[in-house]
Amino acid sequence: MSLRRTGSAVLLVLALLGAVLAPHSATALPAPDAPKAGQAVYYNLGTPEVRPKRIFTAYSSAAYLDKLKWKHWGTRKAVGRGILVSDCASCSPPARRKVTIRLTGFVRCDQDPTLRTYRRAIAVVSKPDEGETSTRWKLFAGCP
């Protein structure tokens, strides 16, 4: 095979690889939908989310609420049920527990008066952390 043919074959292979590896609009992950005016949101570490499926308790590795399903979202009291996951290196056992979160204190934020959020968030877990007796704790809630 001549050098000229080899070069053409290499270019063809690179072009095909580029076409395969290039992001396609049909396969790219969609950006999260921005909340619309009038919707209720929960500020999840500063990001407004409608009916969040996961709520983070801290910026660093820490326990988080996952697989949340909501009832009464957008009313004065929203209730979510899911799993508290605390599998980080510094988290106390047990690693997974059922959790219920109650959001109350429905208010408008000064930063964006078109959205409403919840001022209070109380999580109730099925079992306390190792060495603890409480199964209730407060999460950050309110306007950023």
Side-chain angles (χ1 to χ4, degrees):
M1 188 178 247
S2 72
L3 184 58
R4 187 176 184 139
R5 268 188 155 178
T6 305
S8 296
V10 169
L11 287 176
L12 179 61
V13 168
L14 289 175
L16 290 173
L17 274 175
V20 169
L21 297 176
H24 296 282
S25 60
T27 59
L29 293 176
D33 291 334
K36 294 172 183 58
Q39 283 189 307
V41 298
Y42 177 84
Y43 283 94
N44 202 3
L45 298 182
T47 303
E49 295 181 20
V50 177
R51 295 179 186 261
K53 291 182 179 10
R54 178 178 287 173
I55 292 179
F56 297 98
T57 62
Y59 283 101
S60 62
S61 58
Y64 59 93
L65 285 62
D66 200 17
K67 299 181 181 176
L68 292 170
K69 295 188 179 169
W70 295 94
K71 286 187 180 182
H72 312 295
W73 186 264
T75 65
R76 293 178 355 144
K77 179 181 172 184
V79 178
R81 297 188 194 289
I83 298 169
L84 175 75
V85 179
S86 56
D87 56 3
C88 64
S90 62
C91 295
S92 299
R96 297 174 91 66
R97 294 163 274 182
K98 290 181 182 178
V99 66
T100 301
I101 179 171
R102 288 180 179 80
L103 303 175
T104 58
F106 207 36
V107 296
R108 292 188 192 280
C109 287
D110 293 337
Q111 297 89 337
D112 188 348
T114 65
L115 300 177
R116 297 188 65 157
T117 190
Y118 295 93
R119 244 185 330 187
R120 289 181 297 281
I122 302 289
V124 179
V125 293
S126 59
K127 300 176 189 171
D129 285 343
E130 188 173 277
E132 299 287 327
T133 56
S134 179
T135 58
R136 289 176 57 101
W137 39 278
K138 290 182 184 181
L139 290 171
F140 171 79
C143 302

